[in-house]
Amino acid sequence: MVVEQTKQKGAVVDLRGSTPRVSVADDRAVAFVDLAAENRVLERQLTAAIAGVVERGDFVLGSAVTRFEQEFAAFCEVEHAVGVDSGFSALELLIRAYGIGPGDEVITAANTFMATVGAIQLAGATPVLVDADPLTLNLDPRRVEAVITPRTRGMIPVHLYGQPAEMDPLRVIADRHRLVVIEDACQAHGARYKGRRAGSLGDAAAFSFYPAKNLGAFGDGGMAVTNDAEVADRLRLLRNLGSRVKYHHEVTGFNHRLDSLHAAVLSVKLPHLDSNNQLRRQAAATYFDLLQDLPIELPPVVGDTETVYHLFVIRTDRRRELIEHLSEQRIGVGIHYPIPPHLQPAFPGLGDRGDFPVTETQADRILSLPMHPGLSFADVAWVSQAITEFFERR
Ligand SMILES: *Cc1c(COP(=O)(O)O)cnc(C)c1O
């Protein structure tokens, strides 16, 4: 008999038979994400890195920023990385750096977080949405050419949930119509498409270091990456008040700089990103094992891509009841996202109900299960058992 006693709240996993059964103390809970646990492991290095910035006093665009930019560019297998204050800013400044603005159209996914659409709008351009592929829930390349007009200047595919978008067919279309391709890689740090890193697949890419992302700062942060030296140079101007030399302003810029404190923290965390993503994939593999026979849809398995499971999203028509059931067991879940951008009051004119049927239908069915590198086998087994019980009982 194999019984594994985990350290977490007295959970006992019985590994006899094909489906592990979990019995636990009444106080067991599984968090949706667990940032404290992730940081505890690196506490000493994180504290030292922060102390270093405090000692140097170079809080704004200090040496920690330059260093992290170089490290992150190398990680993404690109030439240039420019640290900014959020993923939203990375997207907005990239659009501006390519000279895209009023009168221009930018194509993006109907199924995305509001920031992708918001950045296009804030840069003065017009977002044009394309519905999702029903399997991957990413922007469907088959629907792109139908919305291209003489005003279309760019395309922002989103690697949603950590699953790379179908970049090859998108590149072909972009080249045919001379469009700039900016990846929204804000959920895909470390993902690969045909062996290549997210961030190196388009002309440029935007990353977010919001704390709950696969690589997270101690607050807001972001990065724009590209192989184009001119674009990188414009990004540096735009993020820093249009200034190269202090008090000399070449263009109207913004204050969108990455703080040195965040950069120092991110330098400590970056070397662990690949192994943390591997832990996410292990947790996902366990979910796949334990949930495969249930009447739910599991995340897509797409050949020649390496997803990083920023989120583990299942689909069910009985979402409301299932959320209730899981909440009773103190299992943290989320919905990413309950209302698509075109149905938000913030974005009138992007489309009516019924215009993006895949996105709209799936918005009512998607459910994000607990997913983070600290998730133990027992945690995943416990969540899976709770879901199994729900479908067996009713
Ligand atoms: C998080 C996220 C963003 C924005 O990043 P922030 O750092 O929160 O501004 C943009 N797009 C997607 C898909 C995201 O998940």
Side-chain angles (χ1 to χ4, degrees):
M1 176 171 148
V2 192
V3 175
E4 182 197 344
Q5 176 82 45
T6 77
K7 285 194 280 297
Q8 295 196 330
K9 298 191 175 156
V12 177
V13 187
D14 182 349
L15 295 171
R16 291 167 302 175
S18 56
T19 308
R21 307 306 287 190
V22 186
S23 55
V24 285
D26 284 344
D27 64 344
R28 188 179 180 85
V30 181
F32 183 65
V33 294
D34 190 349
L35 302 179
E38 231 184 295
N39 293 326
R40 219 172 290 127
V41 183
L42 298 171
E43 194 171 337
R44 252 177 9 136
Q45 289 137 281
L46 288 166
T47 309
I50 290 168
V53 178
V54 173
E55 218 157 275
R56 285 192 299 278
D58 56 350
F59 295 105
V60 175
L61 296 185
S63 59
V65 173
T66 314
R67 177 181 156 191
F68 178 62
E69 285 175 341
Q70 284 162 1
E71 292 165 350
F72 196 71
F75 178 84
C76 292
E77 299 165 4
V78 297
E79 292 290 318
H80 312 282
V82 180
V84 292
D85 58 359
S86 72
F88 192 120
S89 297
L91 286 164
E92 188 205 339
L93 295 192
L94 275 168
I95 297 163
R96 291 180 183 275
Y98 279 100
I100 298 172
D104 298 329
E105 293 174 0
V106 178
I107 293 168
T108 193
N111 186 38
T112 186
F113 180 52
M114 73 73 68
T116 327
V117 180
I120 299 170
Q121 201 171 63
L122 208 63
T126 305
V128 175
L129 304 182
V130 168
D131 206 1
D133 177 309
L135 176 71
T136 64
L137 298 186
N138 273 329
L139 188 156
D140 188 342
R142 292 164 298 187
R143 298 173 187 267
V144 172
E145 279 200 296
V147 301
I148 291 178
T149 75
R151 296 146 78 108
T152 310
R153 290 282 315 282
M155 182 196 291
I156 307 185
V158 184
H159 308 312
L160 202 67
Y161 311 147
Q163 171 64 50
E166 274 187 79
M167 294 304 289
D168 276 357
L170 292 174
R171 183 81 256 176
V172 170
I173 297 167
D175 286 346
R176 196 179 296 146
H177 300 273
R178 296 173 195 277
L179 309 181
V180 172
V181 180
I182 299 170
E183 299 166 66
D184 182 340
C186 289
Q187 301 190 358
H189 320 59
R192 287 185 189 275
Y193 174 86
K194 303 193 175 176
R196 288 151 58 212
R197 287 279 196 200
S200 72
L201 304 166
D203 296 301
F207 288 89
S208 164
F209 303 124
Y210 178 82
K213 300 293 163 103
N214 291 38
L215 179 63
F218 284 180
D220 281 306
M223 190 74 87
V225 303
T226 180
N227 282 320
D228 187 326
E230 271 177 49
V231 169
D233 188 57
R234 275 199 293 278
L235 286 166
R236 291 205 160 84
L237 278 177
L238 288 171
R239 76 165 168 188
N240 188 31
L241 313 167
S243 170
R244 216 182 295 271
V245 179
K246 206 165 190 180
Y247 306 133
H248 293 251
H249 305 278
E250 297 175 32
V251 296
T252 310
F254 306 84
N255 183 346
H256 281 324
R257 302 170 296 225
L258 176 66
D259 288 321
S260 302
L261 283 169
H262 292 309
V265 163
L266 291 162
S267 274
V268 173
K269 290 179 148 198
L270 180 61
H272 305 276
L273 177 54
D274 274 332
S275 55
N276 279 341
N277 283 340
Q278 187 54 33
L279 291 170
R280 287 172 183 266
R281 282 191 287 268
Q282 263 170 36
T286 308
Y287 274 132
F288 269 99
D289 260 4
L290 302 182
L291 298 175
Q292 60 183 345
D293 296 328
L294 299 182
I296 56 175
E297 280 167 72
L298 293 170
V301 177
V302 183
D304 232 354
T305 65
E306 223 172 84
T307 172
V308 290
Y309 291 108
H310 172 58
L311 296 167
F312 190 89
V313 178
I314 65 167
R315 295 186 235 173
T316 169
D317 291 328
R318 300 175 61 194
R319 181 174 71 184
R320 205 169 42 82
E321 301 157 76
L322 180 57
I323 290 175
E324 239 166 68
H325 175 77
L326 295 177
S327 302
E328 279 164 21
Q329 321 260 342
R330 289 191 294 160
I331 292 169
V333 294
I335 300 172
H336 301 85
Y337 298 91
I339 305 168
H342 73 283
L343 300 179
Q344 301 275 2
F347 302 118
L350 287 186
D352 297 319
R353 191 170 285 280
D355 284 352
F356 306 104
V358 176
T359 297
E360 289 171 27
T361 308
Q362 299 313 318
D364 296 331
R365 304 181 69 235
I366 47 179
L367 180 66
S368 309
L369 301 183
M371 175 51 75
H372 56 87
L375 219 50
S376 67
F377 178 86
D379 290 327
V380 179
W382 176 244
V383 175
S384 302
Q385 186 177 307
I387 298 171
T388 305
E389 277 167 9
F390 171 81
F391 285 101
E392 276 174 358
R393 200 169 44 175
R394 287 172 256 192

